[in-house]
Amino acid sequence: MGKFQRIFVTFTIILLVCCCFRSESTSVANDRGAWISYDERALTIKGERKIIISGSIHYPRSTAEMWPSLIQKAKEGGLNAIETYVFWNVHEPVRRQYDFTGNLDLVKFIKTIQDAGLYAILRIGPYVCAEWNYGGFPVWLHNLSKDMAFRTTNKIFMQEMETFTTKIVDMMKKENLFAPDGGPIILSQIENEFGNVEGDYGSDGWPYVQAVAEFADSLDTGVPWIMCQQDNALYPIVSTVNGFYGDQWHPPRDSIPKIWTESWSGWYQKWGEPSPHRPAEDLAFATARFFQLRGTLQNYYMYHGGTNFGRTSGGPYIITSYDYDAPLNEYGLPNQPKWGHLKQLHEVLRSVEKLLTYGDFVDKPYHGRGDLYMSTEFSHNGSRVCFFGNSDSGKAVTIDFEGQQITVPAWSVSIYRDCKTEIFNTARVNVTREVLERVRHQGPLKWTWRAEPIEAIKGQSDTFAPHFLEQKSATNDTSDYLWFMTSVDADEDDGCDPLTGHEVTLNVRTNGQVLHAFLNKKHIGSQWSPNGFTSFDLKGVGKIKPGLNTISLLSGTVGLPNYGSHFDTASMYGVSGPVTLTTYNGDNLDLSNGHWSYKVGMSGIDERKLFSDKERRGWKENPKLNKPLVWYKNWFLHVREVELYGNQQYLLDNYQ
């Protein structure tokens, strides 16, 4: 029997509601100790070819307190390496002002990997994609110069990129974290998936690939540099692949190993879309097939997805959860059967490491369809292992191997020790399936509320601009919100009734993401772009009165773009114009060229930080419903009983 432990966790929920809806072989060696090399078969560590089974865990997407537990569970799941990106924009939110504290403590994270006895793969970028806000680039970088051009040999971009990358490398060197210095880092990555978009950069593309490769090589880390999705990378850079399946990819040079930097364990989720799911059987099939066809280094993206804390979600419209249907779920608990099924596969693969990396191999097609049915035999020093692959998703296949009738289920790989005894099949899951149950909180929740002030133009003291400001430049990524404010004078001579006013229609054109409109501080409309990239029109109806009437437009972003060619130059105007006011008699008043005032941020979140545990003053009971721009907050105590079995107690560390 186990024992029971009761865990108490206090949560804070805070919501803002606005009305109705947000040919060579290389050896990298030096006199610093260990050495790393590679050839066409594998990465070599301390003179031995190794199978590397890695998993992505992004340190900013979990808490520092979770890291030991996550890494330990990854190790128990059969991994021998952990991979992470480095996220430039959170480490340097303001130019030359760095932050490596808390869950941004990269050195601590790498040392935690080392303490667990695992290798580390460091993907410095500086571009990461990763469904991370702005692809990991700081917005201030875009605003440094009107001539700025990311991911080109633009002088200012290269200077800033090199400064940050050098800083990261120097930090790792100072702490002796590269393998030649006795640390766990066996690979570093420069750039990321640039090959997917290189053609869109024209004549600027290839020179950039060369420039970043030469720069990376000059940093003398003592470990190989990789570029994923960059098949034209030249020596000494190692090209790698990303995708749902990596078996059919072949290294562009004969002398480098087959490395799969991103084996997608699931997918990310957007607001309003169902949770993605990739079956454990399919992921195991992709893994086994990769190793069958001479892959020897694979990284699951993600192994633990975690959470997009704060404003780190990329976009548009990527949710705060980054669960990714990964082997470890968002909370750090095993996602069964995926975690357990892969664990069994990893144990089998690790047990035949010598055969896979040193053995002779023979591929044999069956039934005239090598693309569907094939066996691969590895032999070394009198030992053998066989992989029998069936890529037909519709039916099982029986093949005759050395007189033995072997039936392989549809879309699966069977592994046979000594080519005689089956020890694993990817389609046969022998792990208990578990479903994470979401249950309603027991008992009523006592919500409190407080209003967010609706900003309006105040007079000559405001900062004006004769045109619409581009939101990304105006906010400099300090907030997701920007107020656009102006005013209109009306008088009785124009037919404006002094008692009732008269009805007008406000029309706003924008290429932003979300927009709320207020006339005289009354909400008159909200609209959003269906995909976050296309322009849209907002139409709102309200009343003006004689005298000064204020128009306030609140523009919001839900994750800046993180992928695509030239995504950094995509304009993000909360209001692009025209802005017109249609009066009761059909006249159109164009407000586009009037005086507009701007305010960055929202008081409740950017100034008062109402989400903070310390901010408990000023909250009112009896929530106001159907009132625009209201913050709602609730405190509740979560009690959970969990049965503990021996060394499984670590599974609960995340909750304490």
Side-chain angles (χ1 to χ4, degrees):
M1 295 295 293
K3 60 180 180 177
F4 287 86
Q5 174 169 313
R6 178 161 289 187
I7 302 164
F8 298 85
V9 185
T10 302
F11 292 88
T12 305
I13 295 179
I14 180 167
L15 305 173
L16 172 67
V17 179
C18 180
C19 201
C20 53
F21 77 101
R22 180 195 135 115
S23 169
E24 91 254 357
S25 165
T26 188
S27 174
V28 183
N30 53 38
D31 59 359
R32 301 201 302 271
W35 55 276
I36 308 290
S37 65
Y38 60 82
D39 57 23
E40 70 281 357
R41 290 296 295 274
L43 199 67
T44 301
I45 302 176
K46 296 182 179 179
E48 294 187 8
R49 288 176 179 164
K50 293 288 185 181
I51 279 180
I52 303 297
I53 304 175
S54 174
S56 292
I57 299 176
H58 295 161
Y59 54 98
R61 283 176 160 145
S62 55
T63 66
E65 292 77 14
M66 293 173 67
W67 295 343
S69 175
L70 293 173
I71 293 167
Q72 181 63 29
K73 287 196 277 291
K75 183 177 182 179
E76 292 182 6
L79 303 192
N80 59 355
I82 301 295
E83 176 272 340
T84 186
Y85 279 127
V86 178
F87 301 85
W88 186 357
N89 56 1
V90 293
H91 288 305
E92 194 177 1
V94 178
R95 187 169 183 258
R96 302 299 182 267
Q97 296 182 27
Y98 299 101
D99 186 0
F100 291 94
T101 61
N103 68 343
L104 303 181
D105 192 340
L106 176 59
V107 167
K108 181 177 180 179
F109 181 72
I110 300 298
K111 287 184 175 180
T112 305
I113 296 172
Q114 184 176 29
D115 291 342
L118 302 182
Y119 300 119
I121 300 172
L122 192 66
R123 302 172 74 185
I124 300 176
Y127 165 72
V128 298
C129 182
E131 291 72 59
W132 191 266
N133 197 44
Y134 213 41
F137 285 126
V139 172
W140 58 256
L141 179 64
H142 169 75
N143 296 339
L144 273 183
S145 168
K146 62 181 179 62
D147 299 319
M148 174 60 68
F150 288 8
R151 307 177 86 183
T152 69
T153 55
N154 175 279
K155 183 178 179 180
I156 300 176
F157 173 77
M158 290 297 291
Q159 287 176 343
E160 296 298 325
M161 181 275 291
E162 292 177 3
T163 297
F164 178 75
T165 304
T166 301
K167 181 175 183 62
I168 297 299
V169 169
D170 287 347
M171 288 174 61
M172 300 301 106
K173 286 183 176 180
K174 181 180 178 181
E175 299 292 334
N176 297 319
L177 293 177
F178 286 108
D181 302 315
I185 302 173
I186 56 174
L187 290 175
S188 295
Q189 180 176 304
I190 191 72
E191 246 302 333
N192 186 50
E193 297 182 333
F194 185 71
N196 294 347
V197 297
E198 182 183 334
D200 295 333
Y201 287 80
S203 59
D204 291 331
W206 173 240
Y208 175 64
V209 174
Q210 291 179 300
V212 293
E214 292 172 359
F215 161 68
D217 189 46
S218 72
L219 294 174
D220 188 28
T221 62
V223 303
W225 285 91
I226 61 174
M227 277 188 179
C228 67
Q229 300 293 91
Q230 196 68 52
D231 283 357
N232 60 355
L234 300 179
Y235 174 84
I237 305 299
V238 178
S239 304
T240 69
V241 68
N242 294 349
F244 284 109
Y245 304 98
D247 55 290
Q248 296 301 312
W249 178 80
H250 299 284
R253 305 199 307 272
D254 293 338
S255 53
I256 61 177
K258 188 171 181 174
I259 296 178
W260 193 2
T261 35
E262 291 188 13
S263 168
W264 299 333
S265 59
W267 203 241
Y268 60 90
Q269 185 176 355
K270 287 193 170 185
W271 291 107
E273 296 183 358
S275 299
H277 173 63
R278 186 179 189 186
E281 298 91 330
D282 182 50
L283 184 56
F285 167 79
T287 300
R289 187 75 166 174
F290 176 73
F291 283 93
Q292 176 182 0
L293 296 179
R294 266 72 70 197
T296 54
L297 191 159
Q298 178 201 280
N299 175 71
Y300 291 105
Y301 188 99
M302 301 291 295
Y303 197 79
H304 166 70
T307 305
N308 294 311
F309 296 110
R311 300 174 49 249
T312 57
S313 290
Y317 307 148
I318 294 172
I319 70 172
T320 50
S321 170
Y322 201 64
D323 181 86
Y324 219 86
D325 195 31
L328 295 177
N329 69 19
E330 181 177 6
Y331 314 104
L333 303 175
N335 174 17
Q336 298 287 27
K338 188 171 285 186
W339 183 85
H341 191 49
L342 293 175
K343 169 184 169 68
Q344 294 172 359
L345 173 58
H346 301 157
E347 290 171 348
V348 169
L349 293 172
R350 297 275 294 278
S351 73
V352 294
E353 179 178 57
K354 292 293 185 183
L355 285 163
L356 296 181
T357 57
Y358 287 94
D360 297 326
F361 56 87
V362 177
D363 294 325
K364 182 179 179 180
Y366 288 85
H367 306 298
R369 294 295 304 274
D371 58 328
L372 289 180
Y373 320 116
M374 66 178 298
S375 68
T376 303
E377 176 187 347
F378 295 89
S379 58
H380 181 65
N381 288 343
S383 297
R384 296 193 304 168
V385 66
C386 282
F387 289 67
F388 298 96
N390 178 6
S391 297
D392 189 332
S393 61
K395 64 180 182 180
V397 63
T398 298
I399 61 178
D400 186 326
F401 181 82
E402 298 180 347
Q404 183 179 5
Q405 299 300 303
I406 295 176
T407 299
V408 186
W411 200 253
S412 76
V413 175
S414 290
I415 304 175
Y416 277 61
R417 191 180 305 280
D418 296 324
C419 299
K420 295 180 180 179
T421 305
E422 184 181 85
I423 53 177
F424 189 82
N425 175 267
T426 60
R428 299 189 184 103
V429 178
N430 298 312
V431 178
T432 302
R433 295 181 182 271
E434 296 180 2
V435 178
L436 182 65
E437 183 182 6
R438 291 176 171 85
V439 296
R440 289 185 177 274
H441 179 78
Q442 300 301 312
L445 294 176
K446 188 175 181 181
W447 290 91
T448 57
W449 70 280
R450 61 188 297 174
E452 170 74 20
I454 298 172
E455 302 292 340
I457 195 168
K458 298 180 179 64
Q460 296 304 314
S461 61
D462 288 284
T463 301
F464 294 97
H467 56 82
F468 295 119
L469 296 183
E470 197 257 352
Q471 182 166 351
K472 186 172 60 181
S473 298
T475 62
N476 207 29
D477 201 33
T478 58
S479 174
D480 290 324
Y481 301 100
L482 180 64
W483 287 94
F484 295 71
M485 299 168 287
T486 192
S487 61
V488 176
D489 276 321
D491 56 49
E492 297 178 36
D493 294 338
D494 294 326
C496 186
D497 190 299
L499 296 178
T500 63
H502 73 249
E503 190 172 271
V504 295
T505 301
L506 180 69
N507 301 280
V508 183
R509 183 73 170 171
T510 180
N511 68 349
Q513 293 177 353
V514 180
L515 192 68
H516 308 293
F518 303 86
L519 178 58
N520 293 322
K521 296 192 175 184
K522 292 184 178 180
H523 179 255
I524 61 170
S526 296
Q527 189 56 273
W528 58 92
S529 169
N531 61 17
F533 292 107
T534 56
S535 298
F536 63 89
D537 296 300
L538 180 150
K539 179 179 290 187
V541 177
K543 285 189 175 182
I544 62 173
K545 62 184 186 303
L548 188 69
N549 295 267
T550 61
I551 295 173
S552 304
L553 305 174
L554 176 60
S555 174
T557 58
V558 191
L560 296 179
N562 60 265
Y563 182 76
S565 58
H566 305 288
F567 73 86
D568 53 295
T569 61
S571 296
M572 188 64 65
Y573 283 92
V575 176
S576 55
V579 177
T580 61
L581 202 62
T582 304
T583 63
Y584 71 99
N585 59 9
D587 292 338
N588 284 317
L589 178 62
D590 192 343
L591 307 178
S592 305
N593 297 319
H595 282 197
W596 287 85
S597 177
Y598 300 88
K599 180 181 184 297
V600 174
M602 296 183 68
S603 173
I605 192 168
D606 295 304
E607 297 171 10
R608 300 179 187 175
K609 301 189 184 304
L610 298 181
F611 53 82
S612 170
D613 291 346
K614 299 178 181 179
E615 184 52 68
R616 304 195 184 191
R617 298 171 299 172
W619 292 90
K620 304 175 183 178
E621 297 183 355
N622 302 318
K624 296 288 185 180
L625 302 179
N626 299 319
K627 179 179 174 62
L629 292 191
V630 171
W631 294 101
Y632 297 95
K633 192 171 187 177
N634 192 283
W635 296 78
F636 66 95
L637 188 67
H638 177 59
V639 182
R640 182 174 184 237
E641 285 188 346
V642 182
E643 191 171 6
L644 308 179
Y645 289 92
N647 63 2
Q648 298 303 306
Q649 182 169 353
Y650 70 82
L651 294 174
L652 306 177
D653 290 347
N654 306 332
Y655 295 90
Q656 296 176 355

